[in-house]
Amino acid sequence: MTKYFEIHHKASDTFDKIDPLDFKAGTAIVAATAWAVAENDKPIAPHIDHAAVREILKNAKLEDMLVNVGVWKP
């Protein structure tokens, strides 16, 4: 995970390399999921505070990595 943001996408990732069927399937899954969440009156998960999120990240050994890439502040 320490190199994830360096290798996940590269300059060589261009539209000509996309599998159209896979792209359309992914788009449909995201759209259907967003619609289902938006149409449901109930929340998809309970609200948890910053301390609870931090505990989850620490237990998953993700806190340091997320701090290092600048997306989490303990």
Side-chain angles (χ1 to χ4, degrees):
M1 288 300 295
T2 59
K3 303 275 186 197
Y4 176 81
F5 290 102
E6 295 174 27
I7 63 171
H8 181 68
H9 288 292
K10 301 178 214 138
S12 62
D13 292 345
T14 55
F15 285 110
D16 61 310
K17 295 183 184 92
I18 294 173
D19 176 342
L21 184 58
D22 187 46
F23 185 75
K24 289 176 184 177
T27 302
I29 291 167
V30 170
T33 302
W35 179 84
V37 169
E39 289 294 311
N40 195 338
D41 291 337
K42 295 180 258 172
I44 60 172
H47 178 77
I48 57 175
D49 63 14
H50 189 85
V53 173
R54 183 176 189 198
E55 191 63 30
I56 291 167
L57 293 175
K58 284 173 68 176
N59 290 338
K61 297 181 174 42
L62 292 173
E63 186 177 37
D64 290 340
M65 186 271 295
L66 293 174
V67 169
N68 288 336
V69 297
V71 297
W72 174 254
K73 293 182 182 178

